[in-house]
Amino acid sequence: MKRWISTWSIGPNAELAHFQKIKEAGFAGVEIWCEHKRALVYLEYARQCGLEIGMHLPFHDLNFATPDITVWNHTEKVLIEWMKKLREYEGVHATLHGGYAWASEERDEAIEK
């Protein structure tokens, strides 16, 4: 079985040297958390180091379980863009989190708060 590590474990401010150390430690790949502001930089670091790439797709406030078509359309748009990036970087897997319908059903009340 191949060993992978999540970029969650190195945080949002890692540098190329961190990815080089991951490769040297024998990891085959990294799962990049797309919520991190430097996720696109991390994709490049992983590629430069010859690591396999997976994505932990953004899920904060993105909810396919919603009855709200505006939220659903936005979720679809964002996730499709990340999947295109995954293909561009020859990624091998993506993790997608489902949501809870109640989160969007209470959207109007949440916005007021």
Side-chain angles (χ1 to χ4, degrees):
M1 178 185 271
K2 294 180 181 181
R3 291 183 351 166
W4 281 64
I5 191 166
S6 169
T7 59
W8 186 261
S9 65
I10 59 175
N13 299 309
E15 297 296 333
L16 179 60
H18 294 97
F19 285 78
Q20 291 167 334
K21 288 179 183 178
I22 288 169
K23 181 70 173 180
E24 291 168 9
F27 287 93
V30 291
E31 183 176 76
I32 295 170
W33 278 63
C34 297
E35 286 93 353
H36 287 170
K37 291 180 181 178
R38 298 182 68 227
L40 295 174
V41 173
Y42 283 12
L43 283 169
E44 192 54 42
Y45 289 167
R47 179 176 12 204
Q48 288 178 30
C49 292
L51 291 161
E52 292 182 42
I53 296 171
M55 283 186 175
H56 191 101
L57 292 170
F59 60 91
H60 183 69
D61 296 331
L62 301 178
N63 185 357
F64 275 127
T66 181
D68 184 324
I69 193 64
T70 302
V71 173
W72 198 99
N73 286 337
H74 178 67
T75 299
E76 179 185 40
K77 178 183 174 203
V78 170
L79 295 179
I80 285 172
E81 288 304 312
W82 279 110
M83 293 300 290
K84 287 178 182 177
K85 280 289 178 194
L86 183 63
R87 181 178 60 216
E88 178 184 330
Y89 281 83
E90 300 178 1
V92 297
H93 80 264
T95 301
L96 171 64
H97 284 267
Y100 294 97
W102 63 265
S104 293
E105 289 168 357
E106 295 174 0
R107 178 176 177 262
D108 293 335
E109 293 85 358
I111 289 172
E112 284 183 37
K113 290 179 185 175

